[in-house]
Amino acid sequence: MRELSPKYDPKEVEERWYQLWESKGWFKADPGSSKEAFSIVIPPPNVTGSLHIGHALNNSLQDLFSRYKRMQGFDVLWVPGCDHAGIATQNVVERELAKEGKTRDDLGREAFLERVWKWKKESGSTIMRQLRRLGASCDWTYERFTMDEGLSQAVQEVFIRLYDKGLIYQGDYIINWCPRCGTALSDIEAPHRETEGKLYHLRYPIVGKVGEFVVVATTRPETIMGDVAVCVNPKDPRFTALKGAKLELPILKREIPLIEDSYVDMTFGTGALKITPAHDANDFEIGNRFGFERIKIMDVKGVMNEKAGPYQGLDRFAARKKIVEDLKAQGLLEKVEDYKHAVARCYRCDTVVESYLSLQWFVNMTPMAEKALTALDRGETFFQPENWKKVYSDWLLNIRPWCISRQIWWGHRIPVYYNADKSKKCAARSLAEAAQKLGLKENEVIQDQDVLDTWFSSSLWPFSTLGWPDATRELGRYYPTTLLVTSWDILFFWVSRMSMFGVEVMGQVPFKEVLINSLVADEHGQKMSKSKGNVIDPLTKIDTIGADALRFALLSIESQTRYISLSEERLDAGRNFMNKIWNAARFMLMNLEGMPVETLKRPPVSELDLVDRWILGRLDGVTTQVTQYLEKGRDVNHAVNLLYDFFWKDLCDWYIEAAKVRLQGEGTAKLVAQRTLAYTLERCLRLLHPFCPFISEEIWQLLPKEGETIMRASWPKVELAPDEAAESDFKILSQIIYAVRNIRGEMKVDAKKQVTAILLAPDEATRALLLQQQEVLQSLGQMKVASISLNAEKPRGAVAAVAGSVQVFLPLEGLLDLDLERKRLEKEVGRFQGLIESIKKKLENEAFVGKAPAAVVDAERKKISEYQSSIEKLGKNLKELAS
Ligand SMILES: [Zn+2]
C-alpha cells in the first residue's frame, strides 16, 4: 500500500487536487441527467474584489452543500460569476487615469468604456481564481458576468417590460446624491451613521414687527438659501397669533410665508420648520402640497450656485461656516447646540450624502413586493434561520420606490430613447426600434445618458445566469434554484430584490431556501477593518495553513448568528486537526499493510471484537447525526464538531489504541481489526469530504475504494440497527480506564510505570465481559489486571475507585500518600452528591417533569440511585482507609 509523506504539505496537495478535479470535469452539472437537480447561484462578488474572510465562509458553505448533495446523488449546478460593480469599478479605472493625468471626460464615453473592459480582461478574474484556491466546486462552464451579452439582454428586456407596464418611471424627486461620486444612490446605498453635529437656531425676522422673530432650528444652515416657507403645526399655541404672517429670509431678505401643516412635530427644535423643497425629501412633499417653487442652491459637486447669493462658488461646508458667521454678525443666530444625529453617507466613499432634487429613474416596487409577500406566505421560500423571514417581510411591507439611475458610464445604459428636445421618449431594444417607435431617423434619436444601478442586474441573477429570456434547458431544470446561501447584510440589497423580480418576471420565486450565514468578526467581536488592523486575510491563511484548515475553522464556528468571532486559536485548531488527520491516517495506512485490497466491505458482526462493534456503531451514529444536522437547520458547526470528536477521540484515542494489540499481531484477529479500521477510515473521510475536500481526497486515494474520486463517492448511509450492547459494554471498559487514568494522574504515578489492578464486578455477566476484554483494559489502562472477581476484598492501603458498577482497587504500595487518598475519596463523594443535588432540582422543576417524556424522568431517577450506591462504596473505602 502507498504511504503518505511524513509531513503534511497542504499547498502541494490542494493545488494538485483542484487542477485535477477541474480538468476532469467533476464540478460539471449535467442538465441532461435523470438525477434530481440541486442548484445554487453564487452571490456574485464585485469584479474589483478580492476574497475576504466573509466570502471564505459564505463560499465554504456553498461548497459544502454542493459536494454533499453531489455525493447524495443529485445533479448539482453551482453557478459562479461576479457583478460589474458600477461605481466601484469606475472609481478604480478613474484612479488609473488620474495617474496619467487624465479624467474620464478627456477620453469620452466610448474610449472610457473600452478602457474599463480592458481592465476587466486583465484584472477582473482575480476573485474567481481565489475561489478555486478555497476549493469551490463551481461549474466554471457556467461562469457569468452581469455585463455579459446574455445578461445585458435580460436587463434590457426586464427594463422594457416594467417600463411598458408603468412600473418604471422617470421623475423629479429628492434622491441621495454623492457629490464626490457624482451620482444618485438608492436609500440603502446611503446608510446613516451617528455623527456629532450642531443644531443652529436661526432667527427669521417677522415682516412688519421690528425686533420679533420666528426661530428655526436646522443642522444645515447653508440650505436656508433654498427656503420657500416656514411651517408650523396648526395646533401649536405658540404660533396662533402669527397666522398668515410673512417672514424675511435672512441674508437674501426674500419674503416667505409662515404656513401650517400637521406634519410638523411640535416637540422638535422650536416647533418651526424651514421648508426647502429642493434639498429635503419631506420638504419636497410639503412643497408639492402647497405648490411651492423648488430652489436648487448647489451644483452636482456640492458647490453653491447663483441661487445662494453671496455664497456662490463656495463648497457646501465652507458656505455653512461663512453663513453662520454672517448670521451671528447680524444678530440672527440665537444659539448653537451640540447635536448628535444620523447623517447619510455614501456606501462607496463615505462622503456625506446630499438630499438633492434630481430627475431620475425609479421602479415602483409596491406591486412587486405584494406578489413576493404572497409567495412567502404560501411557503414557496423559507428562511434558515427562520427569524429572518420577519425582517424580510417587514422590509417588503414598507417598500419605497427604488432609484435605479446612476450618473456614471460603466453599467447597463438605460434603454430609453428621446427626440432632440426630449418631448418624446420610448424604451426600445435597439436604436432602430427606438427610431421606428418615435417615428424618427436613427440619427435623430438620443439614448438616455444614465446607467442602471448594479443591483438591478444582480436582482435578475438567478434567471439571467440560466439563459433567460431564452427558454433554455437550464432554466427549466434549475429554476427555481434550490438553495441560496448569503450573509444578512445584503438581505435588502439583493435577496428581497431577487425575490420581487423573480416572481414578477418568472412567475416563481428564485430560490426555495435561503440560508443566512453570519458575518465574521475578530476574536473580540469587532468588525474586521483595515484601519483597526484586525483583518484576517483568507489568502494568507490558505498559503500557510491550507484551505481545508481555514474551512474547518470557519465552519466549526458558523452558528447562523449575526456575527461570529474568529480567533487565531481557532485557525490553529483547524491546522492541528488537519495534521492530526494526516498523521493518524498515515499510521493507520501503515497498519493496513498486508490487508487484501478487496476487503473494503464491513466485516460481519460474528467476526468482530467488542471494540470493532463499538467503533462501527459510533460511526453509524455519527453518520446519522451529521446527515440530520446538514438537513435540518443546516447546522454545520454541530456536524463538523461531531466529526472532529469522532475522528480524534473515538477513532484515534480509543479504537486504534484498543486495536493495537491485534494490529501488531497475526492471523484472523489482525485481519478483522484491519478491515474494521479501513472501513471506518474510508467512511469517515467521505463524511469529512464536504468540509475539508482536499485532505480527505488525498488520503482516500490510498485506501481500498470504489471509483476515481471521493467527490463522486456516495454519502454514507446507515443500514444496521444501533448496536446498543456494544455501546454499553464498551462504556464499562472506558469507565474503568478513565478511573485508573484518574488515579494515576492524581496520585502522580510515573507515566511509564505499570500498575496492578483488582476488579470487582457486580455480576457474572460483567465479570465475563472484563475477563474477555482483559487485554484491552491492560493496554489502554497501562495496567496489569491481577484479578477479576465478584467478591474481592480491598487490600489494605490500596486506592479504590468506582467505575460505574465496577469497583477498581489499585494496590499502590509505597506510592500512596494516605492523606492525599482520603482527600481524593472525599472529593469524589462530594462530586456524586453534587450530581444528585442537580438531578433533584431538575425533578422538583415542574416545567421539566411536565414536559419531559416519562422515560427521561425515569432515567434521571435511576441515576440518583446509581450515584447513591457509588457514594456508599466510596464511604466504605474511606472507612477502611481510616482503619
Ligand atoms: Zn461617493
Side-chain angles (χ1 to χ4, degrees):
M1 200 165 287
R2 267 169 58 210
E3 272 185 31
L4 291 174
S5 63
K7 198 173 173 327
Y8 172 46
D9 174 8
K11 205 175 165 69
E12 187 276 324
V13 170
E14 293 178 358
E15 280 173 10
R16 176 160 45 82
W17 274 113
Y18 197 90
Q19 276 170 19
L20 192 79
W21 288 333
E22 193 179 352
S23 67
K24 291 270 191 180
W26 287 334
F27 302 150
K28 279 191 190 161
D30 179 7
S33 102
S34 56
K35 294 175 177 177
E36 197 179 330
F38 180 90
S39 50
I40 299 187
V41 289
I42 202 169
N46 285 353
V47 67
T48 52
S50 180
L51 196 79
H52 58 56
I53 200 76
H55 293 129
L57 170 64
N58 175 256
N59 287 288
S60 295
L61 285 164
Q62 292 176 74
D63 190 52
L64 187 168
F65 287 107
S66 296
R67 289 178 184 271
Y68 165 67
K69 284 291 161 184
R70 250 182 236 119
M71 292 176 82
Q72 279 192 328
F74 286 77
D75 164 39
V76 172
L77 173 63
W78 179 14
V79 176
C82 46
D83 77 42
H84 63 280
I87 298 174
T89 311
Q90 178 153 329
N91 284 351
V92 168
V93 178
E94 283 189 294
R95 271 202 299 276
E96 268 186 12
L97 284 177
K99 281 184 208 149
E100 299 162 21
K102 288 188 210 150
T103 67
R104 64 169 149 142
D105 293 306
D106 295 338
L107 268 69
R109 189 164 190 145
E110 244 172 73
F112 178 77
L113 288 177
E114 267 173 36
R115 181 76 188 240
V116 183
W117 276 111
K118 185 169 160 265
W119 175 90
K120 146 79 167 100
K121 230 173 141 191
E122 287 161 8
S123 321
S125 53
T126 308
I127 196 159
M128 295 294 116
R129 272 201 313 277
Q130 293 166 340
L131 280 171
R132 287 175 165 90
R133 298 193 54 203
L134 188 70
S137 60
C138 308
D139 185 343
W140 296 102
T141 59
Y142 282 88
E143 184 178 344
R144 298 289 184 262
F145 179 53
T146 45
M147 291 281 283
D148 280 351
E149 206 175 307
L151 277 74
S152 300
Q153 199 200 338
V155 166
Q156 191 182 63
E157 194 59 35
V158 169
F159 185 99
I160 292 169
R161 287 190 192 184
L162 296 183
Y163 178 92
D164 289 343
K165 270 189 174 179
L167 288 172
I168 286 182
Y169 58 93
Q170 194 179 27
D172 269 314
Y173 290 95
I174 297 288
I175 44 89
N176 303 293
W177 181 266
C178 175
R180 204 213 65 84
C181 295
T183 183
L185 300 169
S186 69
D187 290 341
I188 44 181
E189 286 168 326
H192 286 75
R193 203 171 71 214
E194 280 294 310
T195 306
E196 301 286 351
K198 304 263 184 233
L199 190 62
Y200 302 89
H201 292 248
L202 314 180
R203 292 171 172 163
Y204 286 48
I206 300 169
V207 173
K209 294 191 176 178
V210 180
E212 287 186 39
F213 311 96
V214 167
V215 178
V216 169
T218 177
T219 57
R220 296 189 296 158
E222 69 280 9
T223 62
I224 70 168
M225 301 301 161
D227 284 2
V228 294
V230 168
C231 189
V232 297
N233 193 303
K235 289 191 191 130
D236 194 334
R238 289 173 290 183
F239 301 101
T240 318
L242 289 175
K243 236 181 224 299
K246 298 267 185 241
L247 306 175
E248 184 189 276
L249 185 67
I251 314 283
L252 294 182
K253 307 207 182 299
R254 245 194 299 120
E255 212 169 80
I256 57 172
L258 184 83
I259 57 165
E260 293 176 319
D261 194 290
S262 53
Y263 161 78
V264 178
D265 177 1
M266 287 191 277
T267 62
F268 176 76
T270 60
L273 184 74
K274 65 194 226 42
I275 302 300
T276 325
H279 292 278
D280 180 277
N282 296 315
D283 295 4
F284 177 81
E285 299 291 335
I286 295 178
N288 284 353
R289 287 207 282 281
F290 286 84
F292 285 131
E293 187 190 353
R294 301 161 183 162
I295 306 169
K296 237 160 126 168
I297 55 155
M298 62 181 81
D299 67 12
V300 292
K301 301 257 182 240
V303 174
M304 309 303 282
N305 64 17
E306 73 285 354
K307 301 279 188 189
Y311 308 101
Q312 182 176 3
L314 287 182
D315 170 78
R316 54 189 170 147
F317 297 117
R320 179 177 301 175
K321 210 170 152 230
K322 184 77 175 49
I323 216 168
V324 171
E325 282 166 15
D326 292 349
L327 289 169
K328 195 172 175 190
Q330 294 176 25
L332 296 178
L333 181 68
E334 181 147 310
K335 62 175 173 177
V336 183
E337 292 172 327
D338 287 332
Y339 185 61
K340 208 174 180 179
H341 62 134
V343 174
R345 288 170 185 271
C346 173
Y347 84 126
R348 276 281 154 223
C349 71
D350 208 41
T351 299
V352 172
V353 161
E354 201 63 34
S355 292
Y356 197 71
L357 179 70
S358 179
L359 182 66
Q360 301 288 345
W361 288 96
F362 295 85
V363 185
N364 174 9
M365 303 301 285
T366 311
M368 283 157 74
E370 278 165 12
K371 287 187 202 169
L373 277 166
T374 310
L376 186 71
D377 287 342
R378 281 201 298 259
E380 287 165 26
T381 295
F382 77 93
F383 281 84
Q384 195 69 260
E386 220 181 338
N387 57 314
W388 286 107
K389 182 181 167 185
K390 186 168 183 326
V391 180
Y392 165 87
S393 61
D394 283 352
W395 162 257
L396 289 182
L397 280 169
N398 298 299
I399 198 93
R400 307 214 320 148
W402 173 16
C403 174
I404 49 169
S405 39
R406 297 291 179 271
Q407 288 66 49
I408 54 173
W409 289 346
W410 175 239
H412 300 101
R413 194 158 166 185
I414 290 181
V416 170
Y417 298 82
Y418 308 87
N419 61 352
D421 67 0
K422 293 201 169 182
S423 57
K424 289 203 270 181
K425 63 174 183 250
C426 71
R429 287 158 190 85
S430 65
L431 197 61
E433 189 189 323
Q436 192 234 328
K437 276 187 176 173
L438 295 172
L440 297 165
K441 292 199 192 98
E442 280 187 29
N443 61 7
E444 294 168 332
V445 171
I446 313 156
Q447 188 174 0
D448 198 288
Q449 295 296 309
D450 291 353
V451 300
L452 289 165
D453 181 0
T454 306
W455 294 100
F456 191 91
S457 52
S458 14
S459 306
L460 319 180
W461 189 247
F463 52 88
S464 64
T465 51
L466 297 176
W468 189 90
D470 295 336
T472 58
R473 188 164 64 152
E474 285 80 2
L475 210 53
R477 180 162 171 79
Y478 302 113
Y479 190 94
T481 61
T482 322
L483 178 67
L484 178 78
V485 186
T486 182
S487 54
W488 51 268
D489 57 335
I490 50 174
L491 187 62
F492 304 145
F493 271 110
W494 193 49
V495 181
S496 71
R497 287 170 180 168
M498 276 192 291
S499 303
M500 290 185 274
F501 277 89
V503 175
E504 175 69 31
V505 176
M506 299 293 295
Q508 251 184 318
V509 292
F511 21 73
K512 294 173 194 152
E513 180 184 347
V514 183
L515 172 61
I516 304 280
N517 65 256
S518 311
L519 292 182
V520 184
D522 75 2
E523 59 187 311
H524 307 294
Q526 298 277 317
K527 252 186 165 172
M528 290 187 193
S529 76
K530 275 188 191 143
S531 57
K532 284 188 206 148
N534 62 349
V535 173
I536 294 177
D537 174 18
L539 298 160
T540 315
K541 289 295 162 195
I542 293 174
D543 279 338
T544 51
I545 64 173
D548 279 338
L550 173 69
R551 290 167 64 123
F552 174 82
L554 287 167
L555 294 172
S556 69
I557 55 171
E558 166 52 7
S559 53
Q560 298 173 4
T561 48
R562 288 195 170 225
Y563 290 95
I564 50 172
S565 297
L566 180 65
S567 62
E568 289 292 339
E569 286 75 32
R570 176 51 54 176
L571 290 156
D572 287 347
R575 187 199 54 203
N576 292 344
F577 186 42
M578 294 311 126
N579 284 333
K580 176 76 182 178
I581 294 177
W582 186 268
N583 295 332
R586 193 164 174 272
F587 175 82
M588 292 183 231
L589 288 165
M590 285 181 199
N591 278 286
L592 296 179
E593 207 64 52
M595 181 185 74
V597 171
E598 67 276 10
T599 51
L600 181 63
K601 286 206 175 63
R602 186 173 179 136
V605 182
S606 57
E607 291 178 13
L608 299 176
D609 206 344
L610 171 63
V611 285
D612 305 328
R613 281 167 53 213
W614 171 75
I615 194 68
L616 292 172
R618 295 286 302 146
L619 174 68
D620 286 348
V622 166
T623 304
T624 305
Q625 268 180 293
V626 167
T627 311
Q628 279 170 357
Y629 279 135
L630 291 184
E631 290 296 330
K632 201 165 169 266
R634 310 278 182 209
D635 189 353
V636 300
N637 73 329
H638 281 106
V640 77
N641 289 322
L642 201 64
L643 286 168
Y644 174 91
D645 282 348
F646 175 76
F647 188 89
W648 200 305
K649 294 180 188 158
D650 295 345
L651 184 56
C652 295
D653 290 353
W654 286 103
Y655 181 73
I656 294 179
E657 290 303 318
K660 244 179 198 168
V661 179
R662 282 185 296 151
L663 287 169
Q664 285 158 5
E666 291 294 331
T668 318
K670 176 177 181 162
L671 188 59
V672 170
Q674 282 183 322
R675 289 168 68 187
T676 307
L677 185 58
Y679 179 87
T680 307
L681 177 60
E682 194 273 342
R683 286 215 152 195
C684 185
L685 290 171
R686 275 195 267 158
L687 294 172
L688 282 166
H689 177 71
F691 302 91
C692 21
F694 297 104
I695 196 170
S696 53
E697 176 81 292
E698 178 75 2
I699 299 168
W700 188 82
Q701 292 291 332
L702 302 185
L703 283 164
K705 59 188 170 53
E706 281 159 21
E708 267 185 289
T709 169
I710 194 169
M711 276 190 68
R712 299 196 150 189
S714 64
W715 182 253
K717 270 196 198 125
V718 176
E719 273 138 20
L720 299 178
D723 190 343
E724 278 160 16
E727 182 80 20
S728 68
D729 285 353
F730 191 81
K731 193 175 168 196
I732 296 173
L733 301 190
S734 63
Q735 279 175 326
I736 295 169
I737 291 157
Y738 271 130
V740 172
R741 284 179 183 169
N742 268 344
I743 294 173
R744 292 182 69 111
E746 284 187 26
M747 306 311 289
K748 302 194 170 57
V749 175
D750 186 344
K752 286 178 204 125
K753 206 176 157 92
Q754 203 185 41
V755 295
T756 303
I758 296 162
L759 304 180
L760 181 56
D763 50 48
E764 195 47 57
T766 311
R767 197 176 80 97
L769 171 73
L770 300 182
L771 276 170
Q772 191 202 22
Q773 297 299 323
Q774 196 164 337
E775 259 187 20
V776 171
L777 286 169
Q778 297 196 141
S779 89
L780 286 178
Q782 256 189 296
M783 59 178 156
K784 165 125 192 50
V785 177
S787 71
I788 302 171
S789 66
L790 293 176
N791 51 12
E793 284 293 317
K794 182 172 92 73
R796 274 188 72 90
V799 180
V802 177
S805 59
V806 176
Q807 284 204 78
V808 183
F809 303 133
L810 298 184
L812 296 176
E813 298 135 41
L815 284 169
L816 183 61
D817 177 330
L818 288 178
D819 261 358
L820 210 57
E821 172 61 359
R822 188 175 303 112
K823 275 184 199 145
R824 190 185 68 81
L825 290 173
E826 280 164 0
K827 208 172 113 194
E828 274 294 279
V829 170
R831 188 171 70 87
F832 282 118
Q833 279 165 344
L835 289 171
I836 291 175
E837 276 314 301
S838 76
I839 294 179
K840 278 189 176 160
K841 254 189 212 140
K842 215 175 184 182
L843 291 175
E844 278 162 22
N845 181 349
E846 279 168 32
F848 169 75
V849 180
K851 254 189 244 154
V856 172
V857 177
D858 279 350
E860 293 292 317
R861 293 217 168 92
K862 215 175 138 210
K863 272 190 209 161
I864 292 186
S865 64
E866 273 171 28
Y867 295 156
Q868 258 154 0
S869 93
S870 296
I871 289 173
E872 274 163 34
K873 286 172 193 158
L874 290 165
K876 203 169 148 239
N877 293 330
L878 259 173
K879 230 191 229 160
E880 281 168 17
L881 208 59
S883 65

